[in-house]
Amino acid sequence: PVWRALTSPHRRRILDLLRAARLTTGQLCKQMPGLSRFGVMQHLDVLAEAQLVLIRREGRQRFNYLNAIPMQQVYDRWVS
Protein backbone atom coordinates (compact mmCIF):
# COMPACT_ATOMS: atom_id res chain seq x y z
CA PRO A 1 0.00 0.00 0.00
CA VAL A 2 2.86 2.45 0.68
CA TRP A 3 4.34 2.01 -2.80
CA ARG A 4 0.91 2.43 -4.39
CA ALA A 5 0.25 5.55 -2.37
CA LEU A 6 3.55 7.13 -3.43
CA THR A 7 3.03 6.57 -7.17
CA SER A 8 0.72 9.57 -7.58
CA PRO A 9 2.22 13.07 -7.82
CA HIS A 10 -0.98 14.43 -6.21
CA ARG A 11 -0.54 12.19 -3.18
CA ARG A 12 3.14 13.12 -2.91
CA ARG A 13 2.10 16.80 -2.99
CA ILE A 14 -0.40 16.17 -0.18
CA LEU A 15 2.33 14.52 1.89
CA ASP A 16 4.63 17.50 1.26
CA LEU A 17 1.91 19.88 2.44
CA LEU A 18 1.26 17.80 5.55
CA ARG A 19 4.97 17.67 6.34
CA ALA A 20 4.83 21.34 7.27
CA ALA A 21 1.69 21.17 9.44
CA ARG A 22 -1.58 19.40 10.04
CA LEU A 23 -4.26 20.59 7.65
CA THR A 24 -7.99 20.20 7.36
CA THR A 25 -9.39 18.63 4.23
CA GLY A 26 -10.68 22.06 3.18
CA GLN A 27 -7.21 23.59 3.55
CA LEU A 28 -5.75 20.81 1.43
CA CYS A 29 -8.38 21.41 -1.26
CA LYS A 30 -7.37 25.09 -1.44
CA GLN A 31 -3.72 24.04 -1.95
CA MET A 32 -4.69 21.61 -4.76
CA PRO A 33 -6.65 23.78 -7.23
CA GLY A 34 -6.43 21.18 -10.03
CA LEU A 35 -8.42 18.63 -8.01
CA SER A 36 -12.00 18.61 -6.81
CA ARG A 37 -12.76 18.09 -3.13
CA PHE A 38 -13.89 14.56 -4.02
CA GLY A 39 -10.54 13.92 -5.75
CA VAL A 40 -8.57 15.17 -2.75
CA MET A 41 -10.62 12.96 -0.44
CA GLN A 42 -10.00 9.92 -2.66
CA HIS A 43 -6.26 10.56 -2.49
CA LEU A 44 -6.48 11.00 1.29
CA ASP A 45 -8.28 7.64 1.54
CA VAL A 46 -5.43 5.91 -0.32
CA LEU A 47 -2.87 7.62 1.94
CA ALA A 48 -4.85 6.66 5.05
CA GLU A 49 -5.09 3.04 3.86
CA ALA A 50 -1.29 3.02 3.59
CA GLN A 51 -1.16 4.62 7.06
CA LEU A 52 0.79 7.56 5.67
CA VAL A 53 -1.90 9.98 6.82
CA LEU A 54 -3.66 9.89 10.15
CA ILE A 55 -7.10 11.46 10.35
CA ARG A 56 -8.64 13.02 13.44
CA ARG A 57 -12.08 14.55 13.52
CA GLU A 58 -12.84 17.56 15.69
CA GLY A 59 -16.46 18.55 15.36
CA ARG A 60 -17.13 19.15 11.68
CA GLN A 61 -13.46 19.44 10.80
CA ARG A 62 -11.25 16.59 9.68
CA PHE A 63 -7.58 17.14 10.46
CA ASN A 64 -4.97 15.24 8.47
CA TYR A 65 -1.52 14.47 9.86
CA LEU A 66 1.56 13.04 8.19
CA ASN A 67 2.68 9.68 9.56
CA ALA A 68 6.22 9.07 8.28
CA ILE A 69 6.72 5.74 10.06
CA PRO A 70 5.59 3.54 7.11
CA MET A 71 7.98 5.40 4.78
CA GLN A 72 10.81 4.94 7.27
CA GLN A 73 10.05 1.22 7.47
CA VAL A 74 10.16 0.90 3.68
CA TYR A 75 13.41 2.86 3.60
CA ASP A 76 14.97 0.68 6.32
CA ARG A 77 13.96 -2.51 4.55
CA TRP A 78 15.01 -1.61 1.00
CA VAL A 79 17.95 0.73 1.49
CA SER A 80 19.75 -0.79 4.46
Side-chain angles (χ1 to χ4, degrees):
V2 174
W3 292 112
R4 178 177 175 249
L6 296 175
T7 60
S8 168
H10 295 299
R11 290 191 285 266
R12 290 192 305 268
R13 172 78 174 129
I14 290 171
L15 292 174
D16 286 340
L17 291 169
L18 292 176
R19 191 177 86 189
R22 73 177 187 164
L23 296 172
T24 64
T25 302
Q27 290 169 325
L28 282 171
C29 290
K30 289 178 184 173
Q31 296 291 322
M32 309 281 296
L35 288 177
S36 66
R37 183 176 183 86
F38 181 74
V40 170
M41 291 189 69
Q42 281 186 317
H43 286 298
L44 284 170
D45 287 344
V46 173
L47 291 168
E49 180 183 318
Q51 298 180 348
L52 292 169
V53 169
L54 302 175
I55 298 166
R56 192 172 104 207
R57 297 182 194 283
E58 292 180 16
R60 293 187 59 199
Q61 293 185 317
R62 174 180 151 157
F63 286 95
N64 304 283
Y65 298 83
L66 175 66
N67 179 22
I69 293 171
M71 283 187 281
Q72 184 65 47
Q73 290 171 335
V74 168
Y75 174 82
D76 290 344
R77 179 176 178 198
W78 292 97
V79 176
S80 61

